[in-house]
Amino acid sequence: MINDSVSFSRILGQEKAVRFLKGVLSRQRIPHGYLFLGMPGVGKTSTAIAMAQALNCLEPREGEACGRCKPCRGIEDRSFHDLVFLEPENQVIKIEKIRELERILAFKPQFGKYRVTVVREADKMTLEAANAFLKTLEEPPPGNVLVLQASDLSQLMPTIVSRCQKVRFQPIPVPLIASWLAEKKGVDPQKGLLLAKLSEGSIARAVQMLEEEYESKRGECFSRLMDLSSLSEGEVLDLALELKGKGRAEQEAPIELLFSLWKTWLRDLLLLKTGGPERLLIHGDRLAQLKSGWNAYTIDSLMEALRLLDQAEKDMAGFRNMELMLENLLLALKRLGTADRAQAVGA
């Protein structure tokens, strides 16, 4: 029986990426460098693990691992020493980590045909680390496959990108996430559908929202956004400081979830402003609250607010000054709401 947790057959919503990788593996022409591109929580790590299993399986078939042999079982329980993970520390990958990896790669794989190294959030390498890694990527020792994961291609050195086989991962469709939540987490179908819509295509984000009970906190979150225009600049800066305290210190997820909720709220407002059908609203159960706030923004300012939140999410993914980022974001959102309220009154 194929192992459910790591096999290609259990990767959700990434049929194109899986089909491509299985084709490469079945032809046994294995590039030594891959770049898995996509937002967090869409299956990049699970796919890398499934790939490691398929590469080292003793009885592979058409690019798929058997799930029964010793390498497959070792990869499943993470006791397989030829599966290596390199991750950021304090939001950055420093050159010391790359030097450590070089020492590991200098030895032949110990237990399998291939050592698979997964570099998570590779776009967080410092310039020094990226230059050092480039040398390894250009000519890794035999028996090594390097899988880089990234969500922001622009943060990677072009020379690194050019030396990797790019594999793109798409946001997971809402029905698949909702079904997965019902099957794996026992979530009520209606609640699961809402979480799937709020997640923007990321199972990890849907699970975070479930654990943080964010769907029940929507009213509070939306009020914070809509009340920005009535706050003084000092109160906005205080709010930025408060949100920073919920950021990288111990639980980075809440700010990301807050931004995700704000984006879905603004998209709903944009849908209403442009005369779209109400059945497409994510927050249709809060239609009265949406309609009470839709005059605070124009169509242009809603689009600008969404752009600012997208940029803020990218800034959070990088090693940036979070407090400054939050201050600039909240002040900009305040100005958009304030200007458009004044415009609405003047009209």
Side-chain angles (χ1 to χ4, degrees), residues 143-182:
N144 284 285
V145 174
L146 303 168
V147 180
L148 285 71
Q149 300 177 353
S151 56
D152 189 353
L153 187 63
S154 67
Q155 297 300 310
L156 285 168
M157 287 176 53
T159 45
I160 286 181
V161 175
S162 67
R163 285 164 174 76
C164 294
Q165 175 66 64
K166 290 189 286 295
V167 184
R168 295 189 180 275
F169 288 71
Q170 304 300 321
I172 301 172
V174 165
L176 288 181
I177 296 179
S179 297
W180 185 91
L181 288 171

Side-chain angles (χ1 to χ4, degrees), residues 222-233:
F222 301 151
S223 293
R224 280 193 159 185
L225 175 62
M226 302 309 293
D227 291 345
L228 277 176
S229 60
S230 63
L231 299 180
S232 67
E233 288 200 359

